[in-house]
Amino acid sequence: MRTRPYPAWISRLFILLVAALTFTGFMQMPLAKRYALTTVPGMAWTGDFFLVHKIHYVLGVALLFLVALVAVNWIKSWKNTLALTGLGLARAGVVFGLVVSGLLRVYRNLPGVTLDPAAILAIEWVHLTLVMVLGVLALVAIIRKSSAYAVRR
Amino acid sequence: MSEKKYRAKAVSRRGFLKALGVGSAGALIPAAPTLAAQERAGAPSDGELATLLDLSKCIGCGACVEACRESNSAKFPEPVKPFPDMLPSRRAKPEDWSDMRDVDDRLTPYNWLFLQNAVVEYEGKPYAINIPRRCMHCQNPPCANMCPFGAANKQVNGLTRISPGLCMGGAKCRAVCPWHIPQRQSGVGLYRHLMPRLAGNGVMYKCDRCHQLLDQGELPACIAVCPEDVQTIGPRHEIVARAKELAREMNGFIYGLEENGGTNTLYVSPVPFELIDRAIDKDSGPGANKAGKGKRKRTPLGPGKPHMGPVKDVMADETNLAAAAFIAPVAGIAAGVLGLGSKLLSKGEGDHED
């Protein structure tokens, strides 16, 4: 397995946030009650649409902070010593798309904001499609044993 | 009321709508004036049309209910039977109103407006209040904001619509609506063509304020047909001013101004709405679907009689969190630029296996 030339806590926090965001994102669909997830001990909260929605927001805030922090550090110093792998670049692009579409989603939910229905449809489906693309890319990266986004130059 | 008088009034109200309502909405669209009452980006709330219902005038004749049915009949579902077998069958049950199209004492996919009645005593006087009930058309509608597929949307002219071509019938909109307004019909819509056994359960239906008429500058059917002039429609700020004036005149009360952060349906009544809420026949008040109601029978068709109780702004927390979402990347960039990131990132830096 390739080593990661950046701190482990970044990888772990990123994986944790993306996993939790993916779960709470999919729970935006009315699945929890239909598929009895709410009956699993400790999982009743998954049936509360508003609670799951707010948790998704909070996790999104944490991811946005982390992504911005890493991006700035990349520009400031890491780009001289690190190189994105092909899969790393692809996943970074997908994460960027998820962040932008997610922020547009948050914007759309503000009172007084009314977007064109076609734009809303695009935002929804880009967000939903990209998370599935990220899942596929992550799976490929694990299978190819190259899950690090960047390697030393 | 004579036919002549009715016509004169209808024309006058239509003129009012054209001049003030759709006209002003259209004026806000410099790039696409032809879209007038259609949707577009960046709408200030003043571009929204609101309706005012003067409950002191409603005689409960039901003309609005009939007119609503006629005006929207082309939109009613024609389900394909038998319905797809869904999994798990114990939890995913079809909801079928197609054999009960005549039901008019509650909201159904075939009845988007109905009349509630409340007999109450207030300040020593008896009142018989009739209340036309339909979608409240919230200013910040949770049904639209939280639809995971973008099937529900609020338009720039203040009405909320559900697209039957996109709706999967998961009924999340009904669950998150403070009044549980949208109603489901199974056996129709997109889900039949995707994964009918595993996802979806039909299409959700509710009042769309006769968008086909509004788009042409005409009044919604329930407003146009009313012999008592119960309803008025216009730009929200004018309707709010009119509602407050009316409430002042009758020493009455307003519903819809604050509820769920503000709706585009305002009711004005001579009696407090808490009395009305206690008196009306309702199934969908807070907790109506919760357990703990003894052996109350829970039918798969669910409730369709909205309450008139207080409703907090259900999207308020999201609005607050949105500020954090927009600040977070800025804070991350600032932290990185200021070197905080470097310090944090250098801590424990080095090759590691994961």
Side-chain angles (χ1 to χ4, degrees):
Chain A
M1 187 181 287
R2 273 189 184 163
T3 56
R4 296 164 199 276
Y6 42 86
W9 69 264
I10 290 180
S11 310
R12 287 174 189 149
L13 183 58
F14 180 76
I15 291 167
L16 181 75
L17 288 175
V18 170
L21 276 161
T22 304
F23 179 72
T24 51
F26 274 93
M27 286 301 110
Q28 301 301 315
M29 290 188 268
L31 301 172
K33 278 185 186 160
R34 175 163 175 173
Y35 289 104
L37 184 59
T38 50
T39 63
V40 176
M43 297 299 280
W45 61 274
T46 57
D48 183 337
F49 289 123
F50 285 110
L51 178 61
V52 175
H53 199 229
K54 284 167 202 162
I55 293 172
H56 196 68
Y57 264 60
V58 171
L59 292 165
V61 168
L63 182 75
L64 286 163
F65 181 83
L66 182 68
V67 166
L69 188 64
V70 168
V72 168
N73 276 278
W74 180 274
I75 294 165
K76 276 180 74 181
S77 55
W78 291 6
K79 65 179 178 191
N80 300 322
T81 53
L82 301 180
L84 278 171
T85 62
L87 273 173
L89 180 64
R91 283 176 292 166
V94 170
V95 169
F96 179 74
L98 280 165
V99 162
V100 171
S101 55
L103 276 172
L104 286 171
R105 194 72 181 68
V106 170
Y107 175 66
R108 173 250 163 109
N109 285 351
L110 289 173
V113 173
T114 308
L115 300 183
D116 188 290
I120 288 166
L121 204 58
I123 293 166
E124 300 285 353
W125 284 95
V126 163
H127 200 63
L128 184 58
T129 305
L130 285 181
V131 76
M132 290 193 273
V133 171
L134 186 66
V136 170
L137 290 174
L139 200 62
V140 171
I142 289 171
I143 291 168
R144 289 175 56 178
K145 295 186 188 301
S146 58
S147 57
Y149 273 52
V151 291
R152 285 198 190 284
R153 283 185 186 276
Chain B
M1 179 179 298
S2 73
E3 182 69 13
K4 192 179 168 189
K5 187 181 170 194
Y6 166 68
R7 268 200 203 136
K9 193 162 57 182
V11 169
S12 150
R13 279 185 290 176
R14 185 166 295 131
F16 163 79
L17 176 71
K18 274 184 179 169
L20 295 179
V22 177
S24 61
L28 294 165
I29 313 173
T34 53
L35 290 176
Q38 282 288 346
E39 48 280 333
R40 51 112 231 179
S45 57
D46 272 6
E48 296 177 7
L49 296 174
T51 53
L52 165 62
L53 291 94
D54 181 352
L55 296 184
S56 69
K57 288 183 176 176
C58 184
I59 57 171
C61 68
C64 53
V65 180
E66 279 305 309
C68 174
R69 279 177 179 251
E70 276 177 35
S71 178
N72 296 301
S73 59
K75 304 172 199 165
F76 291 161
E78 291 300 334
V80 178
K81 295 183 183 180
F83 298 138
D85 291 326
M86 290 179 293
L87 288 174
S89 58
R90 199 168 57 83
R91 286 175 168 270
K93 297 187 191 313
E95 290 183 26
D96 183 17
W97 286 97
S98 62
D99 297 329
M100 295 179 276
R101 298 182 191 218
D102 292 337
V103 171
D104 64 358
D105 64 348
R106 56 162 286 168
L107 299 172
T108 79
Y110 302 89
N111 198 63
W112 301 354
L113 166 65
F114 81 109
L115 289 167
Q116 279 176 316
N117 317 100
V119 177
V120 296
E121 194 177 299
Y122 178 59
E123 293 183 333
K125 282 199 294 185
Y127 290 86
I129 307 282
N130 301 295
I131 316 148
R133 297 308 302 271
R134 53 167 168 74
C135 176
M136 298 290 286
H137 296 288
C138 302
Q139 287 204 286
N140 195 30
C143 62
N145 290 338
M146 296 179 75
C147 174
F149 307 113
N153 287 299
K154 191 183 89 170
Q155 292 186 184
V156 71
N157 60 356
L159 66 89
T160 303
R161 280 172 67 182
I162 299 172
S163 167
L166 294 169
C167 179
M168 296 278 284
K172 180 180 178 181
C173 54
R174 181 170 62 192
V176 299
C177 169
W179 296 275
H180 309 298
I181 299 280
Q183 299 296 319
R184 174 159 62 189
Q185 175 61 48
S186 299
V188 61
L190 191 59
Y191 90 112
R192 290 182 50 249
H193 308 290
L194 298 175
M195 294 186 292
R197 289 175 68 82
L198 299 172
N201 192 357
V203 170
M204 307 303 295
Y205 293 91
K206 68 168 192 69
C207 157
D208 60 15
R209 217 158 63 180
C210 291
H211 69 89
Q212 76 282 6
L213 298 177
L214 264 186
D215 287 353
Q216 293 170 25
E218 294 181 30
L219 290 170
C222 61
I223 301 179
V225 79
C226 180
E228 301 295 324
D229 253 348
V230 168
Q231 292 197 57
T232 315
I233 187 169
R236 190 172 197 274
H237 62 98
E238 290 184 17
I239 291 295
V240 167
R242 192 172 298 195
K244 286 179 178 172
E245 191 186 328
L246 186 61
R248 221 175 7 252
E249 281 170 14
M250 70 168 76
N251 204 18
F253 304 86
I254 307 175
Y255 190 81
L257 208 52
E258 305 293 335
E259 282 71 19
N260 195 25
T263 71
N264 283 325
T265 301
L266 303 180
Y267 291 95
V268 175
S269 157
V271 300
F273 284 95
E274 54 194 14
L275 294 182
I276 291 177
D277 186 53
R278 257 182 254 156
I280 56 173
D281 176 21
K282 60 182 182 293
D283 290 319
S284 58
N289 258 348
K290 302 267 168 66
K293 286 220 166 187
K295 292 182 179 174
R296 183 175 175 272
K297 192 181 174 190
R298 294 174 66 186
T299 70
L301 297 177
K305 298 179 177 180
H307 66 91
M308 226 154 199
V311 176
K312 67 180 177 97
D313 181 358
V314 297
M315 294 297 291
D317 289 339
E318 276 83 346
T319 303
N320 293 331
L321 284 167
F326 293 119
I327 290 168
V330 179
I333 290 168
V337 169
L338 291 172
L340 176 66
S342 299
K343 280 181 196 164
L344 283 172
L345 295 172
S346 61
K347 198 177 172 185
E349 189 170 0
D351 291 1
H352 72 273
E353 303 246 344
D354 211 355

